[in-house]
């Protein structure tokens, strides 16, 4: 492959849409010629049509099919700082779903505690790794479903730290 063809190939791969004329080491041509490619056709790129809702749960707001508890129905005052307290109700109020962020080696769990006619207690536990254990530095969004013996209804929902 000659130097002129190599230079033409390299120049064409430059990606700016123009191709430079071959350069030769011989006598200059009587007229210079440049070859340019046609301008790119402008086309609008439309997003793909969405026919069905996403199969994942949203990370903000109340997920589809769930409901939010009534204002003032949740008492999370006993939870220490950093414990999750974002709650939705699923399956007609029979399942309390706690939305949480779990990071590194920490593990978050929740279980139903005492359930009376006036209130339901849900125990939330954060298990920390042993001191000095290497843990990844990432955060996972998780849902903690807690099945109740009966729908929450108008009962108070109390979130407490678990054992």
């Amino acid at each position: 492959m000659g130097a002129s063809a190599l230079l033409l190939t390299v120049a064409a791969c430059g990606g700016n849409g123009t191709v430079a004329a071959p350069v030769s080491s011989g006598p200059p041509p009587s007229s210079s010629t440049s070859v340019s490619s046609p301008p790119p056709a402008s086309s609008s790129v439309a997003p793909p049509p969405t026919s069905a809702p996403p199969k994942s749960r949203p990370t903000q707001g109340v997920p589809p099919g769930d409901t939010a508890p009534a204002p003032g129905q949740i008492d999370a005052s006993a939870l220490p700082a950093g414990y999750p307290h974002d709650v939705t109700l699923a399956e007609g109020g029979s399942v309390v779903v706690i939305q949480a962020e779990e990071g590194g080696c920490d593990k978050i769990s929740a279980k139903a505690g005492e359930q009376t006619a006036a209130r339901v207690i849900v125990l939330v536990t954060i298990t920390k790794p042993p001191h000095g254990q290497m843990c990844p530095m990432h955060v996972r969004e998780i849902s903690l479903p807690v099945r109740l013996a009966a729908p929450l209804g108008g009962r108070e929902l109390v979130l407490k730290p678990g054992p």
Side-chain angles (χ1 to χ4, degrees), residues 10 19 21 36-37 40 51-52 55-56 62 69 75 93 104 108 110 114-115 130-131 135 138-139 143 151 153 157:
V10 171
V19 178
S36 64
S37 60
S51 59
K55 295 186 187 279
S56 64
V62 179
D75 177 6
I108 303 175
E114 178 186 0
Q115 299 182 47
H131 182 69
C135 295
H138 65 273
V139 175
S143 296
L157 177 62

Side-chain angles (χ1 to χ4, degrees), residues 5-138:
L6 179 62
L7 185 58
L8 181 61
T9 303
V10 171
C13 292
N16 65 0
T18 62
V19 178
V23 177
S24 67
S25 58
S30 60
S31 67
S32 65
T33 323
S34 73
V35 178
S36 64
S37 60
S42 64
S43 64
S44 62
V45 177
T50 55
S51 59
K55 295 186 187 279
S56 64
R57 295 178 67 91
T59 58
Q60 295 180 346
V62 179
D66 291 3
T67 58
Q73 189 174 13
I74 299 174
D75 177 6
S77 62
L79 289 179
Y83 273 63
H85 57 273
D86 292 329
V87 175
T88 58
L89 302 172
E91 298 182 28
S94 295
V95 177
V96 172
V97 181
I98 300 173
Q99 305 296 329
E101 289 181 341
E102 197 174 60
C105 293
D106 292 354
K107 297 294 178 200
I108 303 175
S109 61
K111 66 179 183 177
E114 178 186 0
Q115 299 182 47
T116 67
R119 70 181 185 164
V120 171
I121 297 176
V122 172
L123 303 170
V124 180
T125 304
I126 297 180
T127 305
K128 299 276 186 188
H131 182 69
Q133 178 178 338
M134 299 277 296
C135 295
M137 298 284 296
H138 65 273

